[in-house]
Amino acid sequence: MGLLKFENLPVNTLVGADWNTFKTMTDGQQIDKGYRTKYHLTKAICRLLSLLAPIQERRYQRLLANRPLEHDPLFILGHWRSGTTFVHNIFAQDQHFGHTTTYQTVFPHLMMFGQPFFKFFVNLVMPSHRPTDNMELSPDLPQEEEFALTNMTPVSYYDFWFYPHRMLEYCDRYLTFEKITPEEKRAFQEAFMRIVKISLWNTGGTQYLSKNPPHTGHVQALVEMFPNAKFIYLMRNPYTVFESTRSFFTQTIQPLKLQDATDDEIEMNAILAYPRLYKAYQEQKKFIPEGNLYEVKFEEFERDAYATTRDIYAKLQLPGWEESEEAIRNYIDSKRGHKKNQYEYSPRTIQLVNEHWGQAINDWGYERR
């Protein structure tokens, strides 16, 4: 068990940002009174640690910048709380995949220099489990790379964790890319390529494995970067997704935010972001080459995770099944009986989902309540 609880963190994850990113993200932003101590402590640590960033930059340019990828990545897509973490952890059992670690998401500039030293302290204080779903936390476990992007470029949807009042603005700019500028898009692609290459270097993989819900709105930009990338898209019962997302957002945002925001505000922003993301994916999936996309309901995946995983390997023509089959089966078996959060759908939940997320219910054939 880590020394700190997630909800009591004295700083937020911007401690691992490079200084230019931190300054660009925070200049001119409203920092509410109750968060100024956290902001200044985060800023001080960030300023100190960012002095080490040039060491990694030199090593990256020398070792990785011009190294071509052996395979284009595999992307696991879907709205938050659609089962992407479970699927991600299953595929991570295949050692030919490389992934972004939890440590890397916070300290992306301290990967190729000083990692063992800093990881020791991260492991010491990191909470052992996520508060929202009791999933295990550890510095070396696979993690979604959007948190790393937040510390490498201002072009990240997860800027809303710090500035929740701008959540829908960031949604249109950095989640769906509807209002992104060409310069911002290039910044995103350059930062993401760094993440891919450093992740593969760090984990020894030959194909990058991505689990990042915001990428659900980035499909066109990702195919531009990786023309033969493979995609898994997960859909889950929207009523369950709503209840779980509301819990996830309202709990996760508490130790990260620098502005006051009520639970009702966060809930409504999540409600309005869902159809934007759903629409963006439906419009952009046409850019994925035939045979490179596997769509599945999470309920169907979970019903027989082993058989579905095997089918995904076959349909997407992924390498590594024979070598990793035993490890994948063992992992799936170890998770049988895992206690998941149970949700009761209140009349208000049903009303909100039917009103705002009805298209997804109809398109995927879920029973309307």
Side-chain angles (χ1 to χ4, degrees), residues 137-152:
L137 283 176
S138 171
D140 290 316
L141 284 177
Q143 187 56 266
E144 60 186 75
E145 59 267 20
E146 194 71 22
F147 286 106
L149 280 168
T150 302
N151 282 347
M152 297 172 68

Side-chain angles (χ1 to χ4, degrees), residues 239 242-243 246 345-354:
Y239 300 103
F242 171 77
E243 293 285 4
R246 177 170 57 189
Y345 306 139
S346 68
R348 182 172 180 275
T349 289
I350 293 171
Q351 178 186 350
L352 286 171
V353 173
N354 286 343

Side-chain angles (χ1 to χ4, degrees), residues 195-214:
I195 289 174
V196 170
K197 291 187 174 183
I198 292 175
S199 297
L200 292 174
W201 170 86
N202 182 56
T203 58
T206 58
Q207 184 173 17
Y208 183 67
L209 176 65
S210 166
K211 189 278 292 194
N212 195 46

Side-chain angles (χ1 to χ4, degrees), residues 5-217:
K5 292 184 177 181
F6 187 79
E7 61 270 21
N8 295 330
L9 293 176
V11 296
N12 65 32
T13 52
L14 286 175
V15 292
D18 67 273
W19 187 239
N20 287 336
T21 295
F22 184 91
K23 289 289 290 180
T24 303
M25 283 184 59
T26 58
D27 280 355
Q29 294 278 13
Q30 172 187 332
I31 310 296
D32 286 343
K33 184 176 180 180
Y35 308 97
R36 290 172 189 168
T37 298
K38 175 174 288 189
Y39 165 75
H40 287 296
L41 182 57
T42 299
K43 180 179 180 179
I45 296 174
C46 173
R47 187 69 183 103
L48 181 63
L49 293 178
S50 65
L51 297 174
L52 302 174
I55 301 175
Q56 172 163 297
E57 176 62 18
R58 289 193 293 269
R59 294 186 178 182
Y60 175 81
Q61 292 297 331
R62 185 175 74 251
L63 299 175
L64 301 179
N66 296 317
R67 181 187 294 182
L69 298 179
E70 187 172 335
H71 302 283
D72 282 351
L74 169 64
F75 293 96
I76 300 170
L77 307 179
H79 192 277
W80 294 266
R81 323 311 299 152
S82 292
T84 54
T85 297
F86 180 54
V87 176
H88 191 209
N89 288 341
I90 288 175
F91 279 85
Q93 305 309 305
D94 182 342
Q95 296 303 302
H96 105 272
F97 283 119
H99 56 264
T100 298
T101 65
T102 300
Y103 170 85
Q104 185 179 354
T105 62
V106 182
F107 298 109
H109 305 290
L110 296 174
M111 292 297 298
M112 305 179 75
F113 168 79
Q115 183 177 168
F117 175 80
F118 290 105
K119 190 188 293 181
F120 170 80
F121 292 100
V122 170
N123 195 48
L124 191 65
V125 301
M126 173 179 283
S128 61
H129 291 81
R130 295 196 311 202
T132 52
D133 55 10
N134 205 36
M135 291 292 289
E136 182 183 1
L137 283 176
S138 171
D140 290 316
L141 284 177
Q143 187 56 266
E144 60 186 75
E145 59 267 20
E146 194 71 22
F147 286 106
L149 280 168
T150 302
N151 282 347
M152 297 172 68
T153 172
V155 185
S156 171
Y157 175 59
Y158 279 3
D159 292 355
F160 89 82
W161 293 122
F162 317 114
Y163 309 114
H165 295 167
R166 303 183 68 180
M167 185 174 179
L168 291 180
E169 174 194 341
Y170 291 146
C171 175
D172 292 335
R173 292 173 64 187
Y174 305 143
L175 180 62
T176 67
F177 282 2
E178 183 178 346
K179 296 182 180 179
I180 198 170
T181 67
E183 294 75 19
E184 289 174 329
K185 185 176 179 180
R186 282 194 296 272
F188 161 81
Q189 291 177 324
E190 289 173 3
F192 184 58
M193 183 62 79
R194 285 173 179 263
I195 289 174
V196 170
K197 291 187 174 183
I198 292 175
S199 297
L200 292 174
W201 170 86
N202 182 56
T203 58
T206 58
Q207 184 173 17
Y208 183 67
L209 176 65
S210 166
K211 189 278 292 194
N212 195 46
H215 282 338
T216 307

